[in-house]
Amino acid sequence: MKLEKWLKKFFDTCLRVWSEAKNTSANVSAKFSQNLKNIALKILQNTKKPQIELLKNRIMWFIAQLWQNLKTTKNVILDFAHSKSNLAKSKLSSLNIDFAKNIVDFVANFAQLVKIKALEITTMISSKIGLLGSLQKSLEERKSTQSVQIAKSTQRAQNIGTYQSRMQNPVIRKARFFRKFAMKEALRCLSTHKVLFLIYVVLPLLIGWFIYAVFMASLPRDLPIGVVDFDRSVESKEALFMIDSSAAVKIAKSYEGIKEAKEDLATSQIYALVVIPSNYERDIKQGNGVQIVLYFNAQFVLIGKAISGALEGVVGTLNAKQWSGKNLIKAKNLNLAIASSMPIFSQIIPLYNSSNNYSQFMLTLLLPCMLQILSALGMLHLLRHTPSSLKSLFIRYVFNSLVFVFWALCEIVLLKKLGFENRGDLGLLVCGSVLLVLGVNGVVVFIQSVLSDFKKAVGFVAIYTAPSLAFAGVTYPQSAMNVLALFWSKFLPISHFMELFIQQANYGGGADLGFEILGGMLWFLLFFALGSGIYALRNDWEILPKNLVASVAKKVGQKYE
Amino acid sequence: MNKQGISFLQILLCEYKAILSNKLVVMVVFIGSLVYGVLYPMPYLNDIVTKQRLVIIDEDKSDLSRRLIFLASSTPQIALLKEVDSISKAQSLIEAFEADGVMLIPKGFEANAKKGVGSVVSYMGNASYFLIYGAIVEGVHNAINALSDELRKEKEPSLRSSEIITLESIPLYNTNLGYANYALAAVLVFILHQTSIAGSGILSAYQNRVRKEKWQKEKWQSKDKMREQSGENIGENIGGNVGLKSSVDFGGDYEREQYFEVVPIWKLIFGRILAFVGIYSVLFLLYFGVLFPTLGIHIHALASDFWCFSLPFMACCVACGVALGSFFSDESIPTQVIFVSSMPLVFIMGFIWPSELLPVFLRELSYLIPAFHGIRGLISLNQMGAEFASVMGHFFAFFVIGGFCFLLAWLVLSYRKRERV
């Protein structure tokens, strides 16, 4: 039932996001295209038409003016010639008249020529003007088709709107959704990209749940221990009862002697052995002081520490009980005795993980570690077939990173919901997760670009990311590592991320240090640049996409034609 | 190759040839084991966490407080960083990753101690890092105990023991509570387990792929022949579904008959297990003979006990790998399965986090994994000096798991062989 509900919810949210995205994208694209068309039309209407008219008018005016001038000059010359000829008739020889006549003819011829030329020019200009007119006409035609298109697109947008409004109806929506999207698409996706589906959806959930389940207990408790009671008295039974009732341990078995317990200790049937000596009760009563011996298995460090800590607590309370018992017997000496027994009390305060919660400690480390492993694997699968261009590589890189940034966000929310320390700036943590995922994917791109063999790359990526838990610097501090290990640790994005996570989530530290750590993670992006460079060299990619170059060249060619 | 006359020794030789000629198997089994074996212990070479930086807030400034500071600084776990005058300053030092812990000595510390009222010393460790926290707590605790003893003796020299009941804690097996014996002893065994499963899985998956592709090729060839005979239009069909693939040249691998197709499957699996056990015996020698002593990890087991336990362990791992690989015909899948499963599985092996605290289904799951028994048994034998009789449960588990995997692999492989017909 829960799964069903969860699935329904999941699909609902998916649908909502999908429809919203569609809606907004349709709106935006419609608006954008409308705006673009409006602007184009405005330019055509407001600038081109008057300009053409103006040009036409001006040219006509210029020609008329020219013609007028030519006419006047002709008249002037003719007048001049006539007066000259008259003068010549009267005064100058016939030669002069011939000359004058020649000049007049020449001028007349010239004028004729000019006239013809001018006419040619005017016809040419008028033809040009006609061309411009036809151009204008075509533009207007285009405008009208555009308006039709706009109408169509608005119609489409309206259709989408009605579709969406229909989709608002939950019954129709679900029916449509399950028929159209969930069933078909999901099945198709599943059958074609089984492995990716596994890596992107199933494994993050499965492994997250698995790790959570492992550390569900949070604190070590009820660890089986054995006891050897040589005294078998009331006091010793009480002591054993006290031990059994402490949270961390549970008495699983009691032995006759120490030797009998040896094999059980060696096979981890019991993690510790408590030995109560003989004459325990007598020595307590006499105030001689007794010693309870605890043999604990230090092989499992965590378990050993938990048991010895618990036993110390039990013995402390046993002591206090004995002292309060003694109080009745020798009251006057009590203060002195207690003070001399415990002159200094110590108060231990664990910072940033107040209950020493093991699940907080491990989950905050393990979840990012698994995240980067899965992200690397997903990236590798996307690169299984060599991308065809830089753009394709980039899209794969970004897509894979987005998927795992989503899981990183889920992880941060989960850690917060589990009630672990989370004081710092969420934005910085998100930035850190983004850089972690981008960094790991970048390294994977680099490895795959160098090897260009999926099967080998899996091995190398495994060597790179799988031991990151040991190098992350949380289980074993970086300050205690040697130089080589420290170098390898700095070479893993996860160690920087864990530093950031602890600095932000646990300490609630300043943003300046946070940004400093983030800056250290930026270096890993260089691997992506390097990897894509190697890819480009190997496959002779052009830096600019080919179709873009081609289309630009085509346009330019058209212009010059 | 003769179908009848192929002896077991020949199968074994063929197996070794197949292992060594497959680059991926060589990479995982040899390079993987060696690189992990060197890489993984690297952070833990210093074993015990020492010299954690402690900040002191001394509000008392008395002789006794100075004495305590001296005692704290003389413990191996602690290195004094500096003295500050307020808790907020100490906090900012910790949050800048410059200090690891704080010790606060309150005002009137000496006076109260001398008066016999008892005074309180607070110390805080950074519990974000458990090992750092543990080291600081241990160091300061030891210093305070030492000072208490001094005070007691000063006050009442006749007092034999101030407490009626004392607890003597004796750590066994890993007496300094170091990290090498704790984590590495188990993790190194786990690495061998993972690489052996991956290696044998890859080889099995590779052979599945070779077989499958060969059959497909034969199928296409026979189809083509049939079409030629019946005079169909071949070009159309080739263009449709098989054209592209049948044009691929498979190279020499597909031409001759492979040994794994002619020998009986049970013999093949036995041969593979034996071949890998041979290789892993060498790797076990390398790990337990060279790596363990250099890292300071104890080996208490008798050589006979050790080999008696290790050989079935290896065989069981290889059987698991063959069963895993038999399901796939893509040799990259076993590597990926091992790669992704490693980290979650480490935590149900019971050495980092006790098995008793796991949810029941995870505990039962861990019993099904050879590594659980291998790690438990080898730690018992090597680190804790158990007798062989006490790890018999794990010993028999290998035979159960290995036998099951063997049968499973047999079933799957024979099914795959029959698929062809």
Side-chain angles (χ1 to χ4, degrees):
Chain A
M1 273 315 283
K2 262 188 179 174
L3 186 73
E4 237 171 70
K5 266 187 187 171
W6 185 85
L7 273 176
K8 264 185 193 172
K9 233 182 183 177
F10 179 71
F11 283 132
D12 275 358
T13 46
C14 276
L15 180 86
R16 223 175 294 139
V17 169
W18 179 59
S19 62
E20 231 156 69
K22 211 172 164 184
N23 194 4
T24 47
S25 71
N27 277 347
V28 166
S29 66
K31 262 186 192 169
F32 182 69
S33 61
Q34 208 161 359
N35 280 344
L36 211 66
K37 277 159 198 168
N38 281 344
I39 287 166
L41 284 178
K42 259 182 195 168
I43 288 168
L44 280 175
Q45 280 171 349
N46 298 343
T47 60
K48 283 277 158 99
K49 204 173 170 188
Q51 263 181 6
I52 292 162
E53 291 284 301
L54 207 70
L55 192 70
K56 200 172 155 187
N57 289 344
R58 261 198 196 166
I59 291 167
M60 295 301 266
W61 179 77
F62 173 73
I63 291 164
Q65 211 63 359
L66 193 72
W67 190 235
Q68 203 72 31
N69 285 354
L70 280 173
K71 259 187 176 172
T72 47
T73 44
K74 189 192 160 192
N75 286 345
V76 169
I77 290 166
L78 278 174
D79 281 354
F80 174 73
H82 272 288
S83 63
K84 277 286 170 190
S85 65
N86 287 341
L87 197 85
K89 266 176 193 171
S90 59
K91 283 185 179 176
L92 292 170
S93 62
S94 59
L95 190 99
N96 278 349
I97 293 166
D98 282 351
F99 178 72
K101 264 186 183 172
N102 277 350
I103 289 176
V104 169
D105 281 350
F106 172 75
V107 169
N109 280 346
F110 181 75
Q112 200 85 18
L113 206 80
V114 166
K115 196 182 166 185
I116 289 161
K117 281 280 165 198
L119 269 172
E120 263 178 20
I121 290 169
T122 47
T123 49
M124 207 177 76
I125 284 169
S126 64
S127 73
K128 283 269 181 221
I129 285 161
L131 203 94
L132 280 172
S134 69
L135 193 79
Q136 201 178 350
K137 222 179 185 179
S138 73
L139 278 171
E140 265 159 17
E141 267 171 20
R142 210 183 294 164
K143 186 172 85 183
S144 66
T145 54
Q146 271 166 355
S147 65
V148 169
Q149 271 177 356
I150 288 166
K152 270 184 187 169
S153 70
T154 49
Q155 182 73 30
R156 212 180 300 145
Q158 276 171 0
N159 280 348
I160 289 165
T162 52
Y163 173 68
Q164 271 151 6
S165 65
R166 233 174 353 131
M167 291 297 267
Q168 294 297 312
N169 186 343
V171 179
I172 295 174
R173 191 181 66 191
K174 256 173 205 166
R176 273 190 81 104
F177 175 66
F178 277 108
R179 202 178 64 229
K180 208 176 159 187
F181 187 74
M183 300 294 272
K184 263 191 206 164
E185 287 294 308
L187 277 177
R188 201 172 57 81
C189 257
L190 274 183
S191 57
T192 50
H193 301 291
K194 267 183 226 156
V195 180
L196 278 185
F197 178 77
L198 210 67
I199 294 172
Y200 284 164
V201 182
V202 179
L203 280 180
L205 288 171
L206 186 73
I207 290 177
W209 165 80
F210 189 96
I211 293 171
Y212 173 71
V214 168
F215 293 104
M216 214 151 60
S218 299
L219 290 170
R221 57 187 154 77
D222 287 347
L223 297 168
I225 61 167
V227 291
V228 180
D229 184 1
F230 287 120
D231 198 41
R232 297 177 189 282
S233 59
V234 180
E235 288 285 344
S236 74
K237 285 213 176 90
E238 199 190 336
L240 290 183
F241 177 75
M242 294 278 288
I243 289 168
D244 199 20
S245 59
S246 83
V249 297
K250 177 184 77 180
I251 294 175
K253 217 168 169 185
S254 64
Y255 299 87
E256 291 299 313
I258 297 172
K259 269 187 188 166
E260 284 86 344
K262 191 201 163 241
E263 279 306 306
D264 278 352
L265 262 174
T267 52
S268 314
Q269 298 293 313
I270 53 170
Y271 289 113
L273 184 69
V274 177
V275 181
I276 294 178
S278 50
N279 300 330
Y280 174 77
E281 189 169 17
R282 194 196 71 196
D283 284 346
I284 284 180
K285 292 273 152 74
Q286 289 179 351
N288 288 341
V290 289
Q291 202 171 45
I292 295 177
V293 182
L294 167 76
Y295 299 97
F296 67 96
N297 188 342
Q299 174 61 36
F300 307 109
V301 172
L302 164 78
I303 300 170
K305 279 184 177 167
I307 291 177
S308 68
L311 261 288
E312 250 161 47
V314 170
V315 169
T317 45
L318 279 175
N319 255 327
K321 219 172 164 197
Q322 292 307 327
W323 279 117
S324 59
K326 287 265 187 295
N327 190 11
L328 298 168
I329 304 162
K330 38 176 185 175
K332 66 174 184 183
N333 220 4
L334 180 73
N335 273 342
L336 179 72
I338 285 184
S340 58
S341 75
M342 283 190 282
I344 302 169
F345 300 99
S346 53
Q347 180 192 19
I348 312 168
I349 305 165
L351 298 172
Y352 310 118
N353 182 356
S354 45
S355 56
N356 267 324
N357 187 337
Y358 217 77
S359 112
Q360 175 185 338
F361 176 60
M362 289 315 287
L363 280 185
T364 51
L365 170 65
L366 278 177
L367 292 180
C369 272
M370 276 326 293
L371 185 86
Q372 55 135 15
I373 286 179
L374 288 176
S375 173
L377 204 61
M379 189 73 235
L380 213 53
H381 269 279
L382 286 186
L383 292 176
R384 191 165 190 168
H385 303 291
T386 312
S388 57
S389 67
L390 206 62
K391 194 174 144 197
S392 153
L393 175 70
F394 189 72
I395 286 170
R396 290 173 202 205
Y397 180 64
V398 169
F399 174 71
N400 190 62
S401 303
L402 278 179
V403 170
F404 285 99
V405 165
F406 166 74
W407 285 116
L409 292 183
C410 289
E411 169 220 318
I412 291 171
V413 170
L414 174 74
L415 291 178
K416 199 170 183 175
K417 284 262 180 272
L418 287 174
F420 299 157
E421 299 285 351
N422 198 330
R423 304 168 204 232
D425 185 25
L426 199 69
L428 269 174
L429 286 182
V430 172
C431 281
S433 317
V434 170
L435 278 179
L436 168 73
V437 172
L438 285 179
V440 168
N441 290 345
V443 174
V444 172
V445 169
F446 173 70
I447 291 176
Q448 173 70 359
S449 75
V450 171
L451 294 172
S452 63
D453 177 359
F454 175 74
K455 288 157 194 165
K456 273 186 207 159
V458 172
F460 273 89
V461 168
I463 285 176
Y464 178 67
T465 51
S468 50
L469 181 75
F471 289 92
V474 178
T475 50
Y476 194 82
Q478 280 187 338
S479 60
M481 290 182 194
N482 62 12
V483 183
L484 219 61
L486 197 64
F487 169 75
W488 187 255
S489 163
K490 292 282 177 201
F491 185 54
L492 293 165
I494 186 76
S495 64
H496 297 267
F497 177 75
M498 285 323 296
E499 207 179 335
L500 178 78
F501 195 90
I502 284 169
Q503 193 257 342
Q504 282 298 321
N506 283 11
Y507 302 166
D512 47 347
L513 188 61
F515 276 113
E516 208 179 306
I517 301 167
L518 277 181
M521 292 174 82
L522 276 176
W523 292 107
F524 290 98
L525 296 184
L526 283 180
F527 278 101
F528 174 68
L530 208 62
S532 46
I534 293 171
Y535 258 122
L537 284 177
R538 280 198 171 204
N539 303 308
D540 275 343
W541 288 344
E542 282 156 52
I543 304 304
L544 285 170
K546 263 182 191 166
N547 52 357
L548 185 72
V549 173
S551 67
V552 168
K554 210 175 162 188
K555 272 178 195 168
V556 171
Q558 269 181 354
K559 251 187 194 171
Y560 281 100
E561 271 168 26
Chain B
M1 230 171 260
N2 191 334
K3 249 183 202 189
Q4 268 75 38
I6 187 158
S7 71
F8 194 71
L9 202 66
Q10 268 176 309
I11 295 176
L12 208 59
L13 284 175
C14 285
E15 276 294 330
Y16 274 117
K17 213 172 149 191
I19 290 168
L20 294 175
S21 60
N22 191 322
K23 274 185 198 162
L24 212 58
V25 177
V26 170
M27 192 174 113
V28 169
V29 170
F30 295 102
I31 302 177
S33 298
L34 292 181
V35 168
Y36 274 127
V38 174
L39 193 66
Y40 208 92
M42 220 155 59
Y44 309 123
L45 284 181
N46 291 340
D47 199 14
I48 311 166
V49 176
T50 54
K51 296 248 176 293
Q52 294 307 307
R53 298 156 297 181
L54 190 72
V55 176
I56 307 284
I57 305 170
D58 187 1
E59 289 175 352
D60 197 40
K61 297 204 189 298
S62 58
D63 286 343
L64 199 67
S65 71
R66 249 166 263 140
R67 177 82 190 140
L68 179 62
I69 292 167
F70 169 74
L71 284 172
S73 71
S74 61
T75 60
Q77 291 90 351
I78 281 166
L80 285 190
L81 184 73
K82 61 169 147 181
E83 215 177 301
V84 293
D85 48 13
S86 74
I87 199 113
S88 60
K89 271 184 191 167
Q91 193 190 352
S92 63
L93 273 175
I94 288 183
E95 287 174 3
F97 295 98
E98 281 168 22
D100 304 307
V102 188
M103 181 164 78
L104 171 67
I105 303 171
K107 215 169 175 64
F109 169 71
E110 184 174 21
N112 285 341
K114 291 270 155 85
K115 252 186 261 167
V117 179
S119 46
V120 181
V121 174
S122 309
Y123 47 104
M124 300 154 220
N126 185 355
S128 303
Y129 300 94
F130 270 27
L131 275 185
I132 293 178
Y133 174 73
I136 291 211
V137 167
E138 200 184 337
V140 178
H141 192 78
N142 286 348
I144 289 175
N145 276 356
L147 190 68
S148 292
D149 276 350
E150 278 180 13
L151 284 177
R152 256 182 235 135
K153 284 197 181 119
E154 200 177 288
K155 205 155 223 159
E156 207 168 325
S158 64
L159 201 69
R160 234 180 322 149
S161 165
S162 53
E163 289 164 356
I164 297 174
I165 306 163
T166 50
L167 180 75
E168 193 180 7
S169 295
I170 300 166
L172 301 172
Y173 313 125
N174 177 15
T175 42
N176 59 3
L177 289 159
Y179 222 75
N181 272 296
Y182 161 48
L184 287 183
V187 167
L188 289 179
V189 176
F190 190 69
I191 288 170
L192 287 173
H193 167 262
Q194 295 294 82
T195 58
S196 63
I197 288 186
S200 50
I202 290 167
L203 192 65
S204 308
Y206 168 74
Q207 293 182 350
N208 280 341
R209 182 167 69 88
V210 170
R211 190 187 293 129
K212 202 175 164 187
E213 285 177 358
K214 192 182 172 189
W215 291 345
Q216 270 175 346
K217 200 192 171 191
E218 278 171 9
K219 211 162 98 187
W220 296 327
Q221 277 173 349
S222 64
K223 266 188 185 173
D224 286 353
K225 264 182 199 166
M226 271 165 64
R227 280 202 206 92
E228 270 170 31
Q229 281 163 3
S230 61
E232 270 182 61
N233 188 356
I234 303 160
E236 218 173 60
N237 285 312
I238 285 180
N241 47 3
V242 293
L244 275 173
K245 282 179 182 172
S246 65
S247 67
V248 175
D249 183 25
F250 290 112
D253 272 1
Y254 302 85
E255 298 310 320
R256 60 171 192 278
E257 190 117 271
Q258 294 274 334
Y259 73 97
F260 53 83
E261 286 173 64
V262 288
V263 299
I265 289 166
W266 66 272
K267 261 189 181 177
L268 179 78
I269 301 173
F270 256 130
R272 184 154 306 160
I273 290 173
L274 217 60
F276 271 97
V277 166
I279 292 172
Y280 272 87
S281 302
V282 179
L283 285 173
F284 264 64
L285 272 176
L286 197 70
Y287 266 54
F288 289 93
V290 179
L291 273 178
F292 271 48
T294 35
L295 295 170
I297 306 171
H298 313 306
I299 304 171
H300 291 307
L302 291 171
S304 59
D305 285 358
F306 174 76
W307 285 111
C308 213
F309 190 81
S310 301
L311 288 172
F313 174 48
M314 293 176 221
C316 177
C317 292
V318 178
C320 272
V322 175
L324 177 74
S326 66
F327 282 98
F328 307 110
S329 48
D330 175 357
E331 61 257 50
S332 69
I333 292 179
T335 336
Q336 290 175 54
V337 171
I338 292 300
F339 173 35
V340 171
S341 65
S342 290
M343 205 181 282
L345 286 187
V346 164
F347 291 94
I348 60 169
M349 290 296 119
F351 64 96
I352 293 174
W353 188 242
S355 282
E356 285 75 12
L357 299 183
L358 291 177
V360 178
F361 62 94
L362 286 182
R363 206 183 315 157
E364 278 161 6
L365 174 72
S366 73
Y367 295 153
L368 302 179
I369 300 165
F372 173 79
H373 303 284
I375 289 173
R376 277 288 166 122
L378 283 175
I379 283 181
S380 290
L381 289 173
N382 268 337
Q383 266 62 49
M384 315 203 276
E387 281 161 30
F388 195 77
S390 52
V391 294
M392 280 314 264
H394 299 308
F395 183 74
F396 288 132
F398 293 142
F399 289 95
V400 174
I401 299 171
F404 174 75
C405 286
F406 182 87
L407 288 177
L408 189 69
W410 193 355
L411 225 69
V412 175
L413 283 178
S414 54
Y415 173 77
R416 276 185 176 271
K417 220 172 179 178
R418 239 182 290 133
E419 236 178 0
R420 179 189 197 179
V421 187

